[in-house]
Amino acid sequence: MIAARGGLRLVQRRVAALRRAVVAEVEDMNRLIYHILRGGVVVSVAVLVFGFVLVAMTGRPIPERSIPPRSLGDQLYHFTPEGYLSLGVLILIFTPVVRVLLSLLSFVKEGDRMYVLMTLIVFANLITSLFLLA
Amino acid sequence: MSIAVLLILAIAAFLAGIGGSYLGIGGGVFLIPFMTLVLSVNIKVAIATSLIGVIATSSGAASVYVRDHLTNLRLAMFLEVATTLGGIAGALVGLRVPELFLYFAFGVMVLYAAAAMARVRETARQRAYQAGAEPRLTERLKLSSVYFDQEDQGVYRYRVERPVAGFGVSAAAGLFSGLLGVGGGFIKVPAMNILMRVPMKAAVATSNFMIGVTAAASAFIYYSQGLVDPGLAAMVIIGVFSGTNLGTRLLEHSKASNVRFAFAVFLAAMGLAMLLSRLPGVSI
């Protein structure tokens, strides 16, 4: 429980830092990317720790297969360890995608057409792989 | 998986996180052999778990390097076009190339890079901005940049040479990434440092930044196949993230030549292991 509370406090601190970053430091892209990447990992770790707390509480074995995204909502609603461990992993996988989107916005703001194009290609590649075998 | 196995994996991931963030690689090259050989995890599950670890290393370490202005964001974006394209191609086409050929090509290339990196020593003078005209593409894409070195408190301006060749090598790195489930940092760091003349620390930071995106592209595919073991992945994420917090501090304060040397030793060991593992009668 202490771990869960500590994790929650970490998440709260991250969210607060992220909000400050968005409000005060929009012009500093490096700072914003730092908070997105760092925040993504910290939130992911917090969710994973919560998943392990659920494992300890329910006494169920640690799951060995990832949950398909379709049934994730249901699992989260019923507070299964599988659901929260998979959610933590998914949050981590999506962190770089959010970062690419952020780079896209910054290049659009700078009006740098070459880099907007390049970032779009990278983003399209990521989306392609997302749907390739799904 | 028993609790003991998970704890051992977390410790291994912690070490991979330190090494990965210090050398600009994802740590997949440590984690895959460790999981398959020591913990006897299925190879596909190991690759999927390693990809998750690569993303954790990248996000954990790259965030710090970006904040401290070590990362060249433009260069990263430029090369990511190549690595993600290569990553998809690797997942689709590369599977048809004979495995043995891959191992040998890979091993020889890695050994060559190791020799080149061990031989050339990076001094402040070499890091200094060279006179003469920039390549046209570098100028057009504004790839050249500056970085602040905490070790000697210097600000170094550098320019990026041979952007087209670097782009090609990055595509190959992406190909291997899609094929073997690694981030491909061990190809990108030498490519940037030797070929494109990016200073070592900037190369490590930029590589770390890129591998997350490269690995994410492959991780989606593995996740949708149900190959990600959430328990293993969770231990790897937690371990790696703790490791990167140490590794980033190590890199920022250490000498560039030491980083190069560590990288060269690591490459040499890996190249040898890859070549030997394919010889008959040797199992690594």
Side-chain angles (χ1 to χ4, degrees), chain A residues 87-98:
Chain A
L87 179 68
V89 173
L90 276 179
I91 289 173
L92 187 84
I93 300 181
F94 272 97
T95 307
V97 183
V98 176

Side-chain angles (χ1 to χ4, degrees), chain B residues 226-247:
Chain B
L227 287 167
V228 175
D229 177 329
L232 292 182
M235 286 335 254
V236 166
I237 293 172
I238 294 170
V240 157
F241 182 58
S242 323
T244 55
N245 288 328
L246 207 64

Side-chain angles (χ1 to χ4, degrees), chain A residues 28-31 33-35 37-38 41-42 44-45 48-49 52 62-69 72 82 85-90 92-97 99-100 103 107 110 112 114-115 118-122 124-130 132-134, chain B residues 1 3 6 52-53 55-56 58-64 66-67 69 71 73-75 77-78 80-81 84-85 88 92 140-143 209-210 212-213 216-231 233-235 237-238 241 244-245:
Chain A
D28 190 346
M29 194 34 66
N30 289 52
R31 203 76 200 169
I33 289 176
Y34 165 76
H35 285 296
L37 290 179
R38 200 88 181 151
V41 189
V42 170
S44 150
V45 169
L48 292 172
V49 169
F52 277 116
I62 297 165
E64 297 195 357
R65 281 181 79 83
S66 42
I67 304 283
L72 191 65
E82 292 90 336
L85 289 177
S86 298
L87 179 68
V89 173
L90 276 179
L92 187 84
I93 300 181
F94 272 97
T95 307
V97 183
R99 195 273 288 165
V100 171
S103 301
F107 287 129
E110 281 177 34
D112 198 329
M114 276 303 280
Y115 277 92
M118 278 192 246
T119 316
L120 277 176
I121 294 174
V122 172
N125 289 346
L126 282 174
I127 298 299
T128 308
S129 75
L130 184 55
L132 207 56
L133 291 177
Chain B
M1 289 297 148
I3 301 288
L6 288 180
I52 305 292
I55 301 175
S58 174
S59 296
S63 60
V64 177
V66 168
R67 181 195 61 191
H69 297 269
T71 312
L73 292 177
R74 284 173 184 274
L75 179 62
M77 212 63 216
F78 172 62
E80 268 170 14
V81 174
T84 50
L85 281 175
I88 292 179
L92 294 178
R140 179 108 197 275
L141 296 177
K142 290 173 270 180
L143 288 178
F209 188 70
M210 291 194 289
V213 168
S218 323
F220 285 138
I221 294 173
Y222 281 90
Y223 188 93
S224 64
Q225 302 287 299
L227 287 167
V228 175
D229 177 329
M235 286 335 254
I237 293 172
I238 294 170
F241 182 58
T244 55
N245 288 328

Side-chain angles (χ1 to χ4, degrees), chain B:
Chain B
M1 289 297 148
S2 68
I3 301 288
V5 170
L6 288 180
L7 285 181
I8 293 172
L9 182 61
I11 295 168
F14 177 74
L15 296 177
I18 298 177
S21 49
Y22 185 71
L23 299 177
I25 57 174
V29 276
F30 301 117
L31 282 175
I32 293 178
F34 185 80
M35 277 188 279
T36 50
L37 300 180
V38 182
L39 304 178
S40 29
V41 174
N42 171 284
I43 177 84
K44 285 196 175 160
V45 174
I47 288 176
T49 312
S50 142
L51 282 170
I52 305 292
V54 171
I55 301 175
T57 309
S58 174
S59 296
S63 60
V64 177
Y65 296 147
V66 168
R67 181 195 61 191
D68 298 342
H69 297 269
L70 271 175
T71 312
N72 187 335
L73 292 177
R74 284 173 184 274
L75 179 62
M77 212 63 216
F78 172 62
L79 295 181
E80 268 170 14
V81 174
T83 60
T84 50
L85 281 175
I88 292 179
L92 294 178
V93 192
L95 291 169
R96 282 164 208 157
V97 180
E99 200 187 334
L100 197 66
F101 169 78
L102 277 177
Y103 267 88
F104 274 98
F106 203 54
V108 168
M109 198 176 66
V110 164
L111 281 179
Y112 170 74
M117 297 201 82
R119 206 189 39 189
V120 189
R121 292 205 24 214
E122 185 178 294
T123 59
R125 194 194 168 88
Q126 279 172 325
R127 264 187 260 169
Y129 195 76
Q130 310 270 320
E134 287 187 319
R136 182 109 63 58
L137 191 62
T138 301
E139 203 186 334
R140 179 108 197 275
L141 296 177
K142 290 173 270 180
L143 288 178
S144 298
S145 184
V146 291
Y147 87 98
F148 172 70
D149 199 317
Q150 292 198 18
E151 185 252 322
D152 57 6
Q153 302 286 309
V155 173
Y156 295 95
R157 194 150 78 103
Y158 60 89
R159 69 166 192 227
V160 175
E161 306 281 359
R162 294 186 275 271
V164 179
F167 192 85
V169 176
S170 296
L175 205 77
F176 279 116
S177 167
L179 212 62
L180 301 174
V182 295
F186 58 95
I187 302 176
K188 279 177 251 177
V189 172
M192 277 189 271
N193 191 232
I194 299 171
L195 209 60
M196 308 178 83
R197 292 190 55 89
V198 175
M200 190 60 190
K201 288 189 185 181
V204 164
T206 307
S207 165
N208 240 319
F209 188 70
M210 291 194 289
I211 52 180
V213 168
T214 315
S218 323
F220 285 138
I221 294 173
Y222 281 90
Y223 188 93
S224 64
Q225 302 287 299
L227 287 167
V228 175
D229 177 329
L232 292 182
M235 286 335 254
V236 166
I237 293 172
I238 294 170
V240 157
F241 182 58
S242 323
T244 55
N245 288 328
L246 207 64
T248 49
R249 220 159 298 164
L250 272 178
L251 176 89
E252 291 190 341
H253 295 282
S254 59
K255 275 195 178 142
S257 56
N258 290 350
V259 182
R260 271 185 85 117
F261 183 71
F263 201 93
V265 170
F266 163 75
L267 281 179
M270 227 190 53
L272 279 177
M274 291 206 76
L275 288 176
L276 289 177
S277 72
R278 289 294 118 173
L279 290 181
V282 182
S283 65
I284 288 180

